[in-house]
């Protein structure tokens, strides 16, 4: 009897929580992260504290300072002056235009795609937490839709899936959509927490965490490569990478970064990668959708 | 005659030791620069050594010729013993580099001014 009362009291208190409460911790994390990056890149004067191993000459010449929220969607090009110049040149003839066209055609002609995604301006809404199923990324949703309709040739990492994402991203961008990741249940909050933990866990034989390179290390260089910040890391996908000579999804990008850590890449579409992406995308909540884009 | 012989062997020995040492330095430098092995260059520039595109995640290495070999060995083996929040991987402890490879890297580090 007593047990029952307690149980019903508990249920009562759970229903009292509003949807907003489930993302309370995530909001705290997001604000703290944004503050960290805005401080880190605020001005040249305080830079030595954040860039202990960079030369004064490099800090004077190669960095742009005074960077704010939305600017971080550009990744390392937000602060790396030389890289930004190259990036602007590449963008004069964007190599992803054909992919947007191809994606549009798939959207209109492939059986069932439109029914799965009646509104194409949804690039900022994924990953989503689906009750009873777990995190679904945009690539995952597209591949599932293709499977349901018996369509061939859809993978999580590139090809038709990436083309469709390019179309979705460009429509979202045109409509001024922002990243809008929702955490509205206890299960969703738990998935977020697991993703966060993975992001900060040292892994692989090199024992590096994602954060070593993309939080603490953001702005510093690995060889000639300026490291991009976690804030804004997912806003601009899919990307055309020179290294790939083609378009790829976030799933494709994660594989490479697993290797950077000295780890055998996790499978695209694994729970691990989906929850990691859920966390990463939440950190960019409120930033404009900015895909598709180009990266080296 | 005997004496001459000794001088010759000593000289030969000495030169082969010197030769082995410079081989070790070369091997260490290769480990330092190679992506799939040590890849130290990803994070470190080195004073007095021409390197193409060293990173800035770690400090520019300098004055290491003055460090005791053991200290260098320990740093590469496990940087966390001297710096618990180091961003540097533990190359020995995690089995990335074996004892011989670390010794080679140390021989190279000793050439850094």
């Amino acid at each position: 009897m007593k047990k029952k009362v307690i149980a019903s009291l508990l249920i009562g208190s759970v229903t009292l929580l509003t949807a907003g409460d489930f993302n309370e911790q995530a909001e705290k994390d997001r604000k703290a992260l944004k503050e960290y990056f805005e401080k880190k890149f605020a001005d040249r004067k305080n830079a030595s504290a954040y860039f202990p191993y960079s030369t004064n000459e490099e800090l004077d010449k190669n960095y742009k300072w005074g960077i704010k929220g939305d600017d971080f969607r550009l990744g390392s090009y937000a602060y790396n002056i030389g890289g930004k110049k190259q990036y602007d040149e590449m963008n004069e003839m964007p190599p992803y235009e054909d992919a947007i066209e191809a994606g549009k055609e798939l959207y209109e002609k492939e059986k069932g795609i439109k029914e799965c995604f009646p509104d194409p301006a949804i690039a900022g809404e994924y990953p989503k937490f689906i009750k009873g199923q777990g995190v679904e990324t945009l690539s995952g949703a597209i591949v599932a839709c293709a499977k349901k309709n018996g369509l061939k040739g859809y993978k999580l990492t590139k090809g038709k899936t990436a083309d469709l994402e390019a179309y979705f991203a460009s429509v979202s961008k045109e409509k001024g959509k922002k990243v809008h990741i929702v955490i509205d249940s206890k299960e969703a909050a738990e998935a977020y927490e697991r993703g966060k933990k993975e992001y900060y866990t040292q892994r692989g034989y090199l024992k590096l965490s994602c954060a070593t390179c993309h939080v603490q290390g953001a702005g510093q260089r690995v060889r000639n490569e300026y490291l991009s910040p976690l804030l804004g890391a997912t806003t601009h996908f899919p990307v055309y990478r020179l290294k790939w000579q083609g378009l790829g999804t976030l799933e494709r990008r994660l594989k490479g970064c697993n290797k950077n850590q000295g780890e055998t890449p996790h499978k695209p579409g694994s729970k691990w990668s989906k929850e990691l992406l859920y966390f990463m995308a939440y950190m960019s909540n409120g930033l404009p959708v900015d895909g598709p884009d180009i990266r080296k | 005659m005997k004496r001459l012989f000794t001088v010759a062997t000593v000289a030969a020995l000495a030169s082969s030791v010197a030769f082995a040492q410079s081989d070790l330095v070369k091997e260490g430098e290769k480990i330092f620069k190679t992506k799939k092995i040590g890849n130290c260059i990803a994070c470190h520039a080195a004073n007095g050594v021409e390197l193409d595109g060293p990173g800035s995640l770690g400090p520019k290495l300098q004055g290491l010729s003055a460090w005791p070999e053991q200290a260098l060995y320990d740093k590469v083996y496990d940087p966390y013993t001297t710096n618990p929040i180091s961003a540097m991987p533990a190359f020995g402890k995690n089995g990335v580099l074996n004892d011989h490879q670390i010794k080679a890297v140390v021989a190279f580090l000793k050439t850094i001014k």
Side-chain angles (χ1 to χ4, degrees), chain A residues 84-109:
Chain A
K84 176 69 163 46
K85 222 169 115 195
Q86 277 185 329
Y87 167 80
D88 288 339
E89 280 162 16
M90 289 189 287
N91 254 327
E92 277 167 24
M93 291 258 292
Y96 48 71
E97 299 271 88
D98 293 348
I100 298 177
E101 279 308 306
K104 185 166 190 237
E105 203 169 309
L106 291 171
Y107 183 71
E108 269 150 18
K109 298 204 176 130

Side-chain angles (χ1 to χ4, degrees), chain B residues 7-77:
Chain B
V7 169
T9 28
V10 167
L13 254 177
S15 83
S16 89
V17 166
F19 183 73
Q21 188 61 23
S22 84
D23 262 7
L24 204 61
V25 170
K26 265 194 214 134
E27 187 183 344
E29 179 166 1
K30 182 147 183 253
I31 293 169
F32 194 92
K33 289 185 186 170
T34 306
K35 187 163 181 189
K36 291 248 154 67
I37 324 174
N39 201 18
C40 317
I41 194 182
C43 299
H44 292 292
N47 210 24
V49 184
E50 265 310 311
L51 297 171
D52 175 27
S56 65
L57 212 59
K60 177 172 184 174
L61 301 176
Q62 45 198 349
L64 297 187
S65 51
W67 282 38
E69 272 176 29
Q70 190 60 41
L72 288 171
Y73 189 98
D74 292 348
K75 186 84 214 171
V76 179
Y77 187 84

Side-chain angles (χ1 to χ4, degrees), chain A residues 205-207 220-224, chain B residues 41-42 52-54 56-57 89:
Chain A
Y205 60 79
L206 293 177
K207 292 277 180 276
Q220 295 167 6
R221 278 179 297 104
V222 172
R223 294 210 87 169
N224 288 319
Chain B
I41 194 182
D52 175 27
S56 65
L57 212 59

Side-chain angles (χ1 to χ4, degrees), chain A residues 53-55 58 63 202 204-208 212-213 216-224 227 243 260, chain B residues 33 35-36 39 41-43 52-60 80 85-87 89-91 94 96:
Chain A
Y53 309 128
S54 303
T55 62
E58 186 181 11
Y63 289 85
Q202 292 181 307
Y205 60 79
L206 293 177
K207 292 277 180 276
L208 294 167
T212 310
C213 287
Q216 228 175 301
Q220 295 167 6
R221 278 179 297 104
V222 172
R223 294 210 87 169
N224 288 319
L227 290 160
K243 185 171 167 191
N260 284 341
Chain B
K33 289 185 186 170
K35 187 163 181 189
K36 291 248 154 67
N39 201 18
I41 194 182
C43 299
D52 175 27
S56 65
L57 212 59
K60 177 172 184 174
Y80 308 118
I85 57 157
S86 181
F91 289 91
N94 296 329
V96 182

